[in-house]
Amino acid sequence: MFMHPPPPPPASGSHITITSVSRDTTTDAGEPITYLSTPNPEVTSVMLTIPPGGKTDWRTHSVPGYLYVLEGKLTVEFEDGHRLNFNAGQAFMQARTKWHRGLNKGDTPVKFLAVFFGEKGIPILLNPPHGSAMQQK
């Protein structure tokens, strides 16, 4: 699912390094990557920090999202209980149609950059309806 290509050839100049981070064909939930076709594209970047023991709300996404873990260890938990772990320096395409949330099971903050490729006026994330069974988990 997560393919990491060999590093590209070095660039000219002695102080330049290029490190390949990811090359993905599916999301972390195994969904094929799709691109939006829209006359009103919008790229949204957000930084999230989850404190030790913290978690995000359950969510899905209406647009493709790419995450890069800057610090700590991010655990992505899916509705069925399946979990994936991503360490600082790892990146992945985020699940779109599967309910998921981010957890910090460690003792230091988790910090990551999320970049969403969407459309003006379209929300980047969707939460379960208030009072739903999903919110009770």
Side-chain angles (χ1 to χ4, degrees):
M1 173 168 40
F2 302 104
M3 298 176 8
H4 296 282
S12 62
S14 61
H15 300 293
I16 297 172
T17 60
I18 299 173
T19 302
S20 181
V21 175
S22 71
R23 179 176 289 174
D24 304 315
T25 57
T26 62
T27 68
D28 58 341
E31 305 157 317
I33 294 174
T34 59
Y35 297 97
L36 293 181
S37 176
T38 174
N40 299 305
E42 181 175 71
V43 176
T44 303
S45 298
V46 296
M47 292 275 238
L48 285 88
T49 301
I50 304 173
K55 60 187 171 187
T56 67
D57 292 334
W58 288 100
R59 61 194 58 208
T60 61
H61 299 279
S62 54
V63 301
Y66 177 81
L67 269 66
Y68 179 77
V69 181
L70 298 162
E71 298 173 11
K73 181 177 182 177
L74 173 65
T75 298
V76 178
E77 179 181 37
F78 296 93
E79 181 180 13
D80 66 2
H82 179 73
R83 292 180 177 181
L84 297 172
N85 294 301
F86 299 94
N87 295 308
Q90 289 186 293
F92 60 96
M93 290 296 295
Q94 192 168 31
R96 286 188 58 198
T97 63
K98 309 243 187 234
W99 288 107
H100 62 279
R101 64 181 173 182
L103 308 170
N104 181 350
K105 307 296 252 170
D107 55 6
T108 61
V110 170
K111 186 174 186 178
F112 60 93
L113 169 70
V115 181
F116 296 95
F117 305 92
E119 180 176 5
K120 291 178 185 173
I122 301 295
I124 59 174
L125 68 89
L126 305 168
N127 297 111
H130 185 68
S132 70
M134 195 71 215
Q135 280 195 326
Q136 308 306 315
K137 288 186 169 191

